[in-house]
Structures are given as structure tokens and as C-alpha cells.
Amino acid sequence: MSLLKRVSIPFAGVALGFAALGNLLQSYSEVLRGICGVLSLVFIVLLVGKLVVDAAGVRKALDNPIQASVAGTFPMALMLLSTYIAPAVHGFAFALWVCAVALHLVLIVWFSLKFLRRLELKTVFASYYIVYVGIVVASVTAPAFGMEAFGNIAFWFGLVCLVALLVLVTVRYVRLPEVPEPARPVFCIYAAPTSLCVAGYIQSGQPKSLPFALVLLAIATVIYVIALVRAIPLLGAKFFPSWASFTFPFVISAIASKQVMAMAAKAGTPLAWLGPVVLVETVIAVVLCVYVCVRFCASLAQKEA
């Protein structure tokens, strides 16, 4: 019971990171993918346990705009995990996917009503991307269920939200650069939305255009480098649950580069220079996910004062 009370909403972010990492590593080893899937599921189960034993605490946490927006990683993780089980139990996996998509859509509406009606710049964080661009995970996973048409809609919705939020969130960090220490790692979420749109576009987006994908990837890569530079000093600072921000953003960046490379090769214009980029980004993603997982597990092991 006391262990579950130490679980927080960002655990869903770690679950999302490992679910995506499994897909990134699938071409190297199905075993590694399975391990990542199990780790993701463990974090999901811990969070569900938290919801059961401390629902009041979760509701209170959702009054915070960062925690509320990070909650979007829960349905995002479920969408990815549904593709893990789809080959074995397709009907159940599809039902899980539909429920996860519906839950994310409800989050978009609820979050908008709660936090956007009386928007204050100081309450805007990079985690807002999770709510509005996070639905693009449906685009990434849609082909597993023959739902590419919906995936295409989700992609274009997410892309429009990405453009709008790039303006809003950037203005927030430029005008109000100081943020509370526990919220500083959240900045690294900046690396996720553009890369996620790249992956969603390649999987479900229409019409297909390699130049368009390359432009999106170029923008994503610039943001990735900025986020990585910001992440490095934070990794040596005090641990906070917001360290979950070091997982999925860097994993999806590697996935985006890998998928663009595959798309270019299929189009007959191979981009060999992307190979080393994918490898470096993959190594960084693995290191960050493992390190963050260890720190989260250590936080659970700590005894209450």
C-alpha cells in the first residue's frame, strides 16, 4: 500500500517510453522488444494500483497542469501496448486500442475546458504537447488494426496542434524562462511532438511525400539537439518524477529518423547518412530509458520518513 502511494502520474510516461523503445529495438531483437513491453506493463499496473488505492490523491494531482497533461501518456502507452498483443488476441487488442484512443480524446476535451478557458502563460509547459499532439500515437498504431483512415485524421489534427503549440509554448519559455526545479525536465518533451508527427505521417498520413517527411525530420532533429543539451545537466541534478520526460521524447526521435530512412530507401533514394544518426539516437534512447527506470525503481524502494 505505501509503495503504491509513492507511484505518481509520470510513471505512465516511463511506461510509454519503454513501449516505444520496444518498437525501436524490434529490428534488433524480438526478445528485447518483449522485455521492454513487460517493463512498460509493470509501470502501467503500478499506476492502475495507485488509482485504486489513492484515487483522491490522483484527483488532487490532476489539478496541476503539468500532472494533468502528463496523464496523456497513459492512453498513449496503452495504444502502443495494444499492438504488442494484437498478433495473439486481435479482438481484445483492438478493443484496448479503441478505449485508449477514446480516453485520450476525453482528456483533450477535459484539459481544454479546465486549463485553456482561463489560460495563464505561467501555467503553460512543454507537457501541453502530450495532450494535443499525443493523439498522433493513434496514427502510429492505426495500421495494426486497419484504421489508417482514422490515423490520417489524427495525424493532421496533431500537426495543426503542433504548429499552434510551438508558438504558445515557445513564447512561454522565452518570456518566463524560470520554472520550478521539479518542472525543468519537462522541457525535454519538446523533442517528442515533431518526431511523433514524422512517425505518424509515415504510418498513416496521406498523401505521402518524402520531401515533407524530411522537412519535418529536420525540424525535429534541431529540437532534439536542443532538448538533449538541456537534459544532460539535469541528469546530474536531483531526481524528480518529471524525469519521465527523458524517455519517450528521445525514443520517438530515433524512431522518426529510422522510419524516414526506411521511407527513403523504399522510394529508391536511400539516405545512407541517416544510418549513423539512427544508431547514435538509439543508443542514447536506451541509456536514458534504462537510467530513468533505475531511478524510478529506486524512488519506490525509498522508505517513507
Side-chain angles (χ1 to χ4, degrees):
M1 187 74 73
S2 61
L3 180 145
L4 289 176
K5 286 189 175 181
R6 290 194 289 276
V7 172
S8 57
I9 291 174
F11 273 65
V14 183
L16 173 62
F18 272 98
L21 183 64
N23 289 336
L24 174 62
L25 298 178
Q26 186 175 17
S27 60
Y28 301 101
S29 169
E30 286 289 347
V31 173
L32 287 176
R33 182 176 188 253
I35 292 172
C36 289
V38 170
L39 286 171
S40 175
L41 182 59
V42 167
F43 277 92
I44 287 292
V45 169
L46 285 171
L47 187 55
V48 171
K50 168 75 170 185
L51 288 169
V52 172
V53 305
D54 190 22
V58 173
R59 284 195 298 269
K60 183 178 180 181
L62 291 176
D63 287 331
N64 179 294
I66 295 180
Q67 297 269 16
S69 50
V70 168
T73 56
F74 181 78
M76 291 166 69
L78 292 181
M79 285 183 230
L80 287 179
L81 286 175
S82 69
T83 64
Y84 278 66
I85 61 175
V89 280
H90 190 272
F92 175 76
F94 180 60
L96 177 62
W97 184 81
V98 170
C99 289
V101 171
L103 181 59
H104 200 103
L105 292 174
V106 169
L107 174 67
I108 291 173
V109 174
W110 173 80
F111 188 90
S112 300
L113 293 174
K114 185 174 180 64
F115 294 103
L116 291 192
R117 285 195 304 174
R118 299 177 181 178
L119 184 66
E120 294 184 50
L121 202 57
K122 66 180 180 180
T123 65
V124 173
F125 295 92
S127 56
Y128 275 41
Y129 288 120
I130 296 171
V131 178
Y132 299 99
V133 187
I135 191 62
V136 178
V137 172
S139 308
V140 175
T141 53
F145 305 103
M147 296 294 291
E148 289 90 343
F150 177 80
N152 183 47
I153 295 171
F155 162 71
W156 287 107
F157 173 83
L159 185 64
V160 170
C161 291
L162 168 62
V163 173
L165 286 173
L166 274 175
V167 176
L168 176 62
V169 177
T170 301
V171 168
R172 186 265 189 253
Y173 280 103
V174 170
R175 290 187 180 179
L176 303 172
E178 293 298 321
V179 297
E181 186 180 7
R184 289 173 187 170
V186 171
F187 179 88
C188 294
I189 295 174
Y190 247 110
T194 310
S195 292
L196 179 57
C197 283
V198 172
Y201 174 68
I202 292 174
Q203 291 296 100
S204 297
Q206 293 293 340
K208 288 288 189 287
S209 167
L210 180 57
F212 180 65
L214 286 170
V215 169
L216 281 180
L217 182 64
I219 297 170
T221 302
V222 171
I223 300 174
Y224 171 88
V225 172
I226 294 172
L228 183 60
V229 170
R230 289 286 292 268
I232 292 172
L234 292 173
L235 287 167
K238 182 180 178 182
F239 171 80
F240 293 102
S242 54
W243 275 36
S245 305
F246 300 142
T247 58
F248 180 73
F250 296 100
V251 176
I252 195 63
S253 296
I255 289 174
S257 297
K258 190 173 185 178
Q259 290 190 345
V260 169
M261 185 171 68
M263 181 184 188
K266 186 177 180 181
T269 54
L271 303 173
W273 56 270
L274 264 179
V277 173
V278 171
L279 180 59
V280 170
E281 290 183 347
T282 298
V283 171
I284 291 173
V286 170
V287 170
L288 287 174
C289 283
V290 171
Y291 184 54
V292 169
C293 180
V294 170
R295 294 302 299 267
F296 266 80
C297 291
S299 72
L300 284 180
Q302 292 175 355
K303 294 182 179 180
E304 294 180 337

